[in-house]
Amino acid sequence: AQTVTQSQPEMSVQEAETVTLSCTYDTSESDYYLFWYKQPPSRQMILVIRQEAYKQQNATENRFSVNFQKAAKSFSLKISDSQLGDAAMYFCAYFGGADGLTFGKGTHLIIQP
Amino acid sequence: DTGVSQNPRHKITKRGQNVTFRCDPISEHNRLYWYRQTLGQGPEFLTYFQNEAQLEKSRLLSDRFSAERPKGSFSTLEIQRTEQGDSAMYLCASSVGNPVYGYTFGSGTRLTVV
């Protein structure tokens, strides 16, 4: 079974700084999809960014970018110019073509003003 | 279309009672997923539907849990003889086919069993 590991239960960053959240996963598949979701205190999960494993180019969405290392099975999220509204739980997720997404345990991101 | 809707938002029940949650997905989404999220954890897969067919159930879904999606539209998740360990956030999500673009999630139903 696929597993997703987020080794940082909590991260703290100063407003306007850059922070990187780590994620590793285990799979025997060669074609799959990776996601980062944000869950603000209101609890609705919001998709932040996605990556297709067969694409070497790292995905970017405005201030959010990923560092996808397929061989290392690593998928980190970089948030540039952190804003107070970025404070939330962040979940890394994997989809390999069967059933549904598998999520990590999450990283609680704190933004210090 | 207002997204994925879940009702109720909160439910407090006594141990041993039955509870039912409802999820209304985005209308054109043929896949519907149920997840459970306990405090400090990521969402855990419970089951999913493609149209009205329930295609997969996690081993987390004990025989006290049942889910339906009649006519391939809304879905219900029922928990019979609730236990304190059932206390969690129950999340519903939907997608068009395989979720290669991810899911759209609802706001969840918070269940507290006392």
Side-chain angles (χ1 to χ4, degrees), chain B residues 33 36 38 44 56-57 65 69 82 84 91 101 103 105-107 109:
Chain B
Y33 299 80
R36 182 174 69 187
T38 53
E44 297 173 296
E56 187 65 33
K57 292 192 289 187
F65 287 70
R69 193 184 183 195
T82 51
Q84 286 190 323
L91 297 170
Y101 292 96
Y103 298 145
F105 277 91
S107 296
T109 294

Side-chain angles (χ1 to χ4, degrees), chain B residues 22-81:
Chain B
R22 176 177 172 130
C23 172
D24 288 88
I26 292 173
S27 57
E28 61 265 29
H29 286 189
N30 61 342
R31 286 208 177 181
L32 185 149
Y33 299 80
W34 285 101
Y35 280 77
R36 182 174 69 187
Q37 185 179 22
T38 53
L39 199 61
Q41 301 294 316
E44 297 173 296
F45 171 78
L46 291 178
T47 188
Y48 86 98
F49 294 83
Q50 179 160 300
N51 300 312
E52 67 276 9
Q54 188 172 17
L55 296 187
E56 187 65 33
K57 292 192 289 187
S58 162
R59 64 182 185 280
L60 293 174
L61 211 67
S62 76
D63 56 6
R64 297 183 298 104
F65 287 70
S66 63
E68 294 182 340
R69 193 184 183 195
K71 302 179 182 178
S73 56
F74 70 91
S75 176
T76 57
L77 178 67
E78 180 184 18
I79 308 174
Q80 296 181 327
R81 305 180 303 280

Side-chain angles (χ1 to χ4, degrees), chain B residues 2-15:
Chain B
T2 56
V4 179
S5 176
Q6 290 190 248
N7 288 288
R9 291 293 306 274
H10 303 275
K11 178 70 176 179
I12 300 174
T13 190
K14 291 183 178 180
R15 190 173 51 189

